[in-house]
């Protein structure tokens, strides 16, 4: 159970009484734990985000696994297990591995990208498939997208890979035309050093509500200095009406649209926490309120920053808030860290 008071609802009138008891939206596990979860709540598993720098293939599972080739600081690998609200079943559609509890759909797409192909093209293709798959299966409201992009800060043709990724994503969304900017999914975009664009998503049968951050410009309105097409994502998405979970996009040391505290990890983490608080404040929440229902995935560009990041977050958060530290490149070179989260409400 989360420690967030249940009377602090966004839009309480639309959901006056029945706040379903806070079934956990996620679990954190190592490789072995997932198999054990299978007996306990395995019937509720939607899918897994598996952070593993080693290349070993996981044993086949009934649920989709997105293996992300990034190092964690928690042993060889760590997995975020996403849980449904009831029994789940697998669906394969357009070669996308999906699993659903009837209300929410989780899926994983991997695009190997042909040799020499631009990331823009692979991104367009993967997003087009994602949008078609979710709509065709009856889950048109895309809530959350995890993007893992090879060499995200490289500049192979005079354009940074992340900026080319943003172009492909925007083009696919524009061609699709069914998702308004104000309803864009929450997201993160993190670099890997392995080939293959990896995208995992959550989509819902039910409309989502998005959150804005008063301290930050909407990313989809960033000026062109960060790339020819603005990044298409929302700061956070509240699923299932106001019942949650709340999916918080990668949040970093950005004020308005500018990076602040360049080169200063402590400054960047402080700014990131202030941004997270500003995001939650209109919901009557804060990072201080966050308890065991909250998972924060903390991406660090440099592993040397781990001890400092751990101690800064330990001072700012309740011990019960789960933190998963992952080493990966942040999409802006000026950023040393980014934090994304899932809050069970
Ligand atoms: C930012 O606020 C930091 O392009 O999908 C965070 C989350 C960031 C998602 C994305 C980028 C993305 O702009 C970077």
């Amino acid at each position: 159970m989360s420690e967030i008071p249940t009377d602090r609802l966004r839009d309480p009138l639309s959901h006056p009484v029945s706040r379903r008891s806070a079934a956990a939206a996620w679990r954190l596990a190592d490789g072995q734990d997932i198999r054990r979860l299978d007996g306990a709540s395995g019937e509720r598993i939607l899918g897994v985000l598996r952070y593993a720098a080693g290349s070993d293939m996981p044993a086949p599972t009934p649920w989709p696994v997105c293996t992300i080739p990034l190092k964690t600081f928690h042993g060889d690998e760590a997995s975020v297990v996403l849980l449904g609200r009831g029994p789940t079943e697998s669906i394969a559609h357009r070669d996308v591995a999906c699993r659903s509890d009837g209300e929410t759909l989780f899926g994983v797409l991997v695009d190997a990208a042909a040799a020499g192909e631009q990331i823009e093209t692979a991104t367009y293709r993967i997003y087009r498939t994602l949008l078609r798959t979710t709509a065709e299966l009856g889950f048109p409201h895309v809530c959350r997208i995890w993007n893992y992009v090879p060499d995200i800060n490289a500049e192979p043709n005079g354009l940074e890979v992340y900026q080319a990724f943003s172009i492909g994503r925007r083009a696919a969304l524009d061609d699709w035309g069914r998702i308004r900017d104000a309803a864009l999914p929450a997201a993160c975009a993190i670099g890997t050093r392995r080939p293959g664009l990896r995208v995992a998503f959550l989509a819902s049968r039910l409309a989502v509500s998005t959150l804005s951050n008063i301290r930050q410009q909407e990313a989809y309105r960033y000026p062109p200095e960060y790339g020819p097409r603005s990044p298409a994502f929302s700061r956070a998405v509240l699923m299932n009406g106001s019942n949650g979970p709340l999916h918080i996009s990668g949040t970093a040391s950005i004020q308005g649209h500018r990076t602040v505290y360049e080169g200063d990890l402590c400054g960047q983490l402080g700014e990131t926490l202030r941004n997270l608080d500003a995001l939650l404040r209109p919901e009557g929440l804060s990072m201080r309120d966050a308890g065991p229902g909250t998972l924060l995935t903390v991406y660090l560009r440099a592993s040397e920053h781990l001890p400092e990041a751990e101690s800064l977050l330990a001072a700012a958060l309740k011990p019960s808030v789960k933190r998963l530290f992952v080493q990966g490149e942040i999409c802006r070179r000026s950023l040393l860290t980014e934090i994304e989260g899932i809050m069970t409400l």
Side-chain angles (χ1 to χ4, degrees):
M1 262 275 284
S2 112
E3 294 170 35
I4 295 163
T6 50
D7 56 339
R8 294 184 179 181
L9 294 182
R10 174 173 229 252
D11 191 15
L13 290 177
S14 63
H15 296 270
V17 206
S18 87
R19 178 99 151 155
R20 275 203 238 172
S21 69
W26 57 269
R27 295 265 170 82
L28 203 53
D30 66 25
Q32 283 75 51
D33 277 338
I34 299 173
R35 281 285 158 194
R36 260 186 275 133
L37 273 178
D38 195 18
S41 64
E43 70 280 1
R44 285 216 289 130
I45 293 178
L46 283 169
V48 172
L49 300 158
R50 172 177 175 253
Y51 298 88
S55 57
D56 60 313
M57 291 289 292
T61 53
W63 45 82
V65 176
C66 183
T67 295
I68 300 137
L70 292 177
K71 175 180 147 63
T72 74
F73 299 101
H74 310 262
D76 288 344
E77 63 175 84
S79 288
V80 176
V81 181
L82 298 168
L83 300 172
R85 302 181 146 224
T88 52
E89 63 175 7
S90 294
I91 312 161
H93 187 76
R94 288 185 180 272
D95 282 336
V96 185
C98 298
R99 198 165 168 93
S100 173
D101 62 2
E103 195 170 282
T104 301
L105 183 76
F106 174 77
V108 176
L109 301 97
V110 181
D111 193 308
E117 189 181 48
Q118 309 280 322
I119 191 73
E120 184 179 327
T121 314
T123 305
Y124 181 88
R125 189 163 55 223
I126 218 169
Y127 267 78
R128 199 171 169 77
T129 305
L130 186 161
L131 293 165
R132 286 179 170 174
T133 300
T134 50
E136 285 165 7
L137 291 175
F139 302 84
H141 306 286
V142 185
C143 307
R144 176 67 165 102
I145 303 187
W146 289 265
N147 301 289
Y148 297 95
V149 182
D151 300 313
I152 196 165
N153 296 139
E155 218 173 279
N157 315 295
L159 183 69
E160 195 174 23
V161 167
Y162 173 60
Q163 300 190 10
F165 164 87
S166 291
I167 294 173
R169 172 172 59 182
R170 184 75 257 182
L173 283 158
D174 284 350
D175 285 357
W176 182 245
R178 302 192 203 172
I179 300 178
R180 294 170 296 121
D181 280 354
L184 283 168
C188 58
I190 299 292
T192 73
R193 290 296 176 91
R194 294 276 178 79
L197 174 62
R198 294 169 177 81
V199 170
F201 67 83
L202 283 171
S204 180
R205 287 204 193 280
L206 310 172
V208 299
S209 35
T210 58
L211 276 61
S212 298
N213 193 327
I214 194 169
R215 303 181 86 241
Q216 299 191 301
Q217 183 156 14
E218 297 292 4
Y220 50 82
R221 296 204 183 113
Y222 281 168
E225 63 191 275
Y226 306 100
R229 303 303 310 276
S230 307
F233 70 95
S234 290
R235 296 295 174 191
V237 164
L238 196 49
M239 292 182 67
N240 304 304
S242 59
N243 284 326
L246 175 67
H247 281 271
I248 302 175
S249 287
T251 303
S253 184
I254 293 175
Q255 252 179 48
H257 54 77
R258 274 180 232 291
T259 301
V260 291
Y261 299 102
E262 198 160 342
D264 170 4
L265 180 81
C266 176
Q268 290 204 3
L269 273 175
E271 186 66 18
T272 300
L273 288 168
R274 285 189 289 281
N275 281 337
L276 288 169
D277 269 332
L279 176 75
L280 296 174
R281 196 168 303 127
E283 311 305 310
L285 302 171
S286 79
M287 274 293 121
R288 283 256 164 225
D289 295 323
T294 298
L295 168 67
L296 299 179
T297 302
V298 183
Y299 297 96
L300 296 174
R301 186 179 287 280
S303 49
E304 310 88 81
H305 285 150
L306 178 69
E308 195 182 354
E310 271 181 329
S311 69
L312 281 166
L313 290 176
L317 302 167
K318 285 183 187 165
S320 56
V321 172
K322 276 279 193 295
R323 289 144 240 189
L324 171 60
F325 290 89
V326 173
Q327 186 186 4
E329 285 156 335
I330 321 302
C331 59
R332 277 191 199 183
R333 285 191 196 124
S334 54
L335 292 171
L336 299 169
T337 185
E338 176 176 308
I339 300 180
E340 53 142 306
I342 310 174
M343 294 178 91
T344 305
L345 298 182

